[in-house]
Amino acid sequence: MRKLVALPVLSADALSSVAYGPEAMLAVLVLAGAAGLAYSFPVGGAIVVLMLAVGLSYRQTIRAYPHGGGSYIVAGDNLGRVPGLVAAAGLLTDYILTVAVSIASGVAAITSAVPSLAPETVPIGVGVIVLLLAGNLRGIRQAGALFAAPTYAFVTAMFALVAAGLADAAGRDFQPPPVPPLPITETVGLLLIMRAFSSGATAMTGIEAISNAVPAFRSVEWRNARTTLTWMVALLITMFAGIVALIRLTGVVPTAQETVLSQLARLSFGPGWMYAFIQTATAAVLLLAANTAYNDFPRVLSLLARDGYAPRAFMRLGDRLAYSNGLVLLSFTAALVFVAFDGRTGALIPLYAVGVFLAFTLSQTGMVVHWWRLRDRHWRKSMVFNAIGAVLSAVVFLTAGISKFTSGAWVAIVAVALFLVVTTRIRRHYESARTALRLRPHAVELPAHIAPSPSPGPGYPAPAGRRPRGTGADQEGEELPEEVRHLAIVAIATLDLASMRTLAYAASLQQPVLALHISLSEDEAHRFRDYWTLWGEHLPLEILVSPYRAVIAPLVHYLEALHHQHPDVTLTVVLPEIVTRHRRHQILHSRTATRLRHALRPLPKIVVTSVPFHLP
């Protein structure tokens, strides 16, 4: 991507947080009345320093990981397995809450402009989540001017709002109006300041998105990514500081009926077209920010599945090249959180800060270890930047966890702990299954008492064309065993004990057998062919390359073509099936047999059977 396109596409999450970050900070300070609001500048200034420090830290991450360095990868590489999993838990929590918080804030922007819609906040939010799920399952991707426009419109709206507000304040010699009487429920103290700081720091969410997507940039990728990150941090700091200053100069306080941005826009522009533009741009960029999670959440889940910490179903791409299972899980959990908290942004913020800064802390700590081990050019400077970012992120994480524990932060902490327990147990199960399925030395040879199966030979050529077919009744009229002509097709993914048992079973039937393998790339196809040759090529092998990572569809198409070419042959598809001791473990293994039976049901003379392999 060009930088002018990458900036809005990858920065939507971070920049849009200006819509709720300052308000979240103010919502805590206002509990102490005018005395609490007086701390808006110091607390806002501390958040600006944090933004700068973390931004500089991620510049070092981009240089160290030019192929993309998310928190899971960085923490796992440098700190070990458990910190990597904790970082992944923080990231996944962050993405779920990005959807919930962004949509809650976007709906609040809409209901501020159209108050009559306020009672429908939850249905509107859930409807938006359903639309995002449907769009992403169809393969919508963030690209080009279509996705850049909302972010640029929002930045333009914020600069116009800040400029107009400062111009009005200049006419009053920058003297803020007197603060109206406010109910005081708390006194100004360290705990209140800490809560306000951690709430306002949620304006930094999404700041690591660029470091995750370095390969998406034009050459030189890492340099263009660092430049884009610098622009993003500069815009974020400018808009955040401008909104905080404007809030102080106008005396606006948060209310349940209208967002702070909506109040500022009404004061500066009235209820005219400019106010409508600001609210529309705010709602649009927040929805775009929610959509960024639909790209990152399934990707992190697929990495966890690749490493054996999540069910392998999350590695599977749909026909539209989207991780469908990950998208469904994200939508379900985000909708659940959104409904549970009644779509209120303020109630969701305490959960948000914990996941975000947990991932930041572990990522930056991992980078400190990385520089200490590498010690290349400028390593000391880079290590200092990452150390500062790690310390400040840890401060925010601890602050949010302690000061907001009873307000909802405990939910995020418990979720991280449960995630760690579940993922480690999943990994333990996969390691046990791998040990049970590992080939023994004698498995390289076909058992001597089983003669090699007759080759399909000339009677069963590879499918090349289609012949007219009759009805199912015409083709399924065999009444005697000798009238049935067989071809057994063994679909195998890997050469393990389960596959060997399935091949041996099919060969023992003394009928023609064809082994069929679906490869996701030409390189994988060559590797599997080499393994097959090492095994001894006892049976003919057909390899189909599926560059779109689909498995069921190419298999069905192949069998359908073979059936059309030989309508008088009964095709028996034999599949290895893993059977676990505990039913709860079954979801960790493929359900290919069930899906294939469903897909092949309309075709006559095709039988699908499975050979179970029971894990100890």
Side-chain angles (χ1 to χ4, degrees):
M1 286 187 289
R2 294 182 297 118
K3 287 178 286 187
L4 288 176
V5 173
L7 175 65
V9 169
L10 298 176
S11 303
D13 187 8
L15 298 180
S16 67
S17 59
V18 171
Y20 52 81
E23 183 170 356
M25 177 190 73
L26 209 65
V28 177
L29 293 176
V30 77
L31 297 176
L37 293 175
Y39 283 86
S40 60
F41 272 3
V43 175
I47 294 172
V48 166
V49 171
L50 179 64
M51 290 177 178
L52 184 61
V54 174
L56 289 172
S57 296
Y58 273 105
R59 279 178 56 89
Q60 316 314 311
T61 302
I62 290 172
R63 181 165 74 89
Y65 284 85
H67 300 295
S71 296
Y72 171 59
I73 295 174
V74 174
D77 284 354
N78 299 289
L79 301 178
R81 184 185 70 176
V82 173
L85 288 176
V86 175
L91 274 180
L92 295 178
T93 304
D94 175 21
Y95 295 140
I96 291 169
L97 288 167
T98 291
V99 176
V101 172
S102 296
I103 290 177
S105 188
V107 173
I110 295 171
T111 56
S112 294
V114 188
S116 60
L117 294 177
E120 308 300 325
T121 293
V122 172
I124 292 173
V126 173
V128 171
I129 292 175
V130 171
L131 288 176
L132 286 174
L133 172 62
N136 281 276
L137 287 176
R138 293 287 298 171
I140 291 177
R141 287 287 179 267
Q142 290 184 354
L146 176 64
F147 292 97
T151 306
Y152 279 130
F154 178 72
V155 172
T156 302
M158 290 302 99
F159 273 90
L161 178 60
V162 171
L166 291 178
D168 291 342
R172 306 190 306 269
D173 293 328
F174 295 101
Q175 293 298 317
V179 178
L182 297 170
I184 299 176
T185 58
E186 295 188 30
T187 58
V188 176
L190 180 60
L191 187 60
L192 182 79
I193 300 300
M194 290 171 60
R195 285 164 50 203
F197 175 68
S198 59
S199 293
T202 55
M204 294 174 53
T205 58
I207 203 169
E208 82 156 7
I210 292 176
S211 69
N212 291 338
V214 177
F217 284 83
R218 288 184 175 178
S219 186
V220 178
E221 291 87 352
W222 69 269
R223 183 172 289 116
N224 287 329
R226 283 177 60 140
T227 301
T228 305
L229 176 65
T230 302
W231 290 353
M232 182 189 75
V233 173
L235 286 172
L236 180 60
I237 290 175
T238 302
M239 291 193 297
F240 180 86
I243 295 298
V244 170
L246 213 56
I247 291 170
R248 180 68 175 151
L249 291 172
T250 57
V252 165
V253 294
T255 67
Q257 294 75 31
E258 188 175 10
T259 65
V260 167
L261 276 185
S262 176
Q263 294 180 61
L264 292 175
R266 285 187 192 276
L267 285 174
S268 297
F269 300 107
W273 69 270
M274 191 62 188
Y275 169 80
F277 170 71
I278 291 174
Q279 293 302 101
T280 302
T282 301
V285 78
L286 285 165
L287 295 182
L288 176 58
N291 194 56
T292 60
Y294 279 85
N295 290 316
D296 294 332
F297 182 93
R299 181 184 58 81
V300 173
L301 259 186
S302 71
L303 293 176
L304 287 166
R306 180 200 65 186
D307 296 338
Y309 292 109
R312 287 173 182 153
F314 291 116
M315 292 177 61
R316 189 167 59 240
L317 283 169
D319 294 338
R320 301 282 180 153
L321 298 185
Y323 292 107
S324 306
N325 294 317
L327 293 173
V328 171
L329 179 63
L330 172 61
S331 298
F332 175 78
T333 51
L336 192 65
V337 170
F338 185 86
V339 172
F341 288 84
D342 295 324
R344 292 178 291 115
T345 307
L348 291 164
I349 290 296
L351 284 75
Y352 207 6
V354 171
V356 171
F357 285 96
L358 176 59
F360 283 179
T361 301
L362 291 171
S363 174
Q364 297 311 305
T365 304
M367 287 305 304
V368 171
V369 175
H370 171 84
W371 296 122
W372 178 258
R373 289 174 177 170
L374 189 62
R375 302 194 182 199
D376 65 351
R377 186 184 178 195
H378 303 310
W379 70 273
R380 288 185 177 86
K381 180 184 72 174
S382 297
M383 189 172 70
V384 168
F385 282 139
N386 285 125
I388 293 173
V391 170
L392 293 178
S393 297
V395 168
V396 178
F397 167 67
L398 293 174
T399 299
I402 295 171
S403 65
K404 299 189 174 192
F405 186 82
T406 57
S407 301
W410 67 270
V411 177
I413 294 172
V414 170
V416 170
L418 287 175
F419 176 87
L420 195 61
V421 171
V422 171
T423 52
T424 52
R425 290 195 174 188
I426 289 174
R427 173 63 180 257
R428 192 180 307 145
H429 171 79
Y430 277 136
E431 288 177 347
S432 174
R434 190 178 302 113
T435 300
L437 290 167
R438 186 176 296 127
L439 290 177
R440 277 63 166 177
H442 69 272
V444 176
E445 296 292 339
L446 197 68
H449 64 281
I450 298 178
S453 171
S455 168
Y460 301 98
R466 294 176 178 251
R467 295 181 184 175
R469 59 187 253 196
T471 64
D474 294 338
Q475 297 184 37
E476 298 176 334
E478 302 95 337
E479 298 181 1
L480 301 174
E482 56 268 20
E483 293 178 348
V484 180
R485 298 184 62 204
H486 279 289
L487 173 60
I489 298 176
V490 182
I492 52 177
T494 58
L495 284 177
D496 53 23
L497 278 181
S499 297
M500 287 298 170
R501 187 167 187 272
T502 305
L503 289 168
Y505 169 80
S508 70
L509 300 177
Q510 298 296 310
Q511 297 292 331
V513 177
L514 174 67
L516 184 62
H517 174 71
I518 308 292
S519 289
L520 305 182
S521 66
E522 292 288 350
D523 290 340
E524 183 183 331
H526 290 311
R527 282 197 301 271
F528 192 87
R529 177 71 69 179
D530 292 339
Y531 296 150
W532 190 260
T533 302
L534 179 64
W535 178 59
E537 295 186 291
H538 299 288
L539 298 171
L541 171 68
E542 181 78 21
I543 296 180
L544 304 179
V545 177
S546 176
Y548 298 107
R549 307 185 68 87
V551 174
I552 297 297
L555 190 55
V556 170
H557 293 159
Y558 180 88
L559 294 172
E560 187 178 19
L562 190 60
H563 167 72
H564 277 286
Q565 187 175 6
H566 302 285
D568 57 330
V569 175
T570 297
L571 303 178
T572 301
V573 183
V574 189
L575 301 170
E577 182 179 6
I578 303 298
V579 180
T580 60
R581 177 184 296 179
H582 303 290
R583 184 172 295 180
R584 65 178 180 272
H585 290 151
Q586 201 62 49
I587 62 172
L588 302 178
H589 297 277
S590 172
R591 294 175 54 85
T592 302
T594 303
R595 297 166 59 208
L596 196 59
R597 282 192 189 95
H598 180 76
L600 294 175
R601 189 172 297 160
L603 295 178
K605 303 195 73 168
I606 295 183
V607 178
V608 181
T609 188
S610 58
V611 178
F613 183 92
H614 294 79
L615 294 178

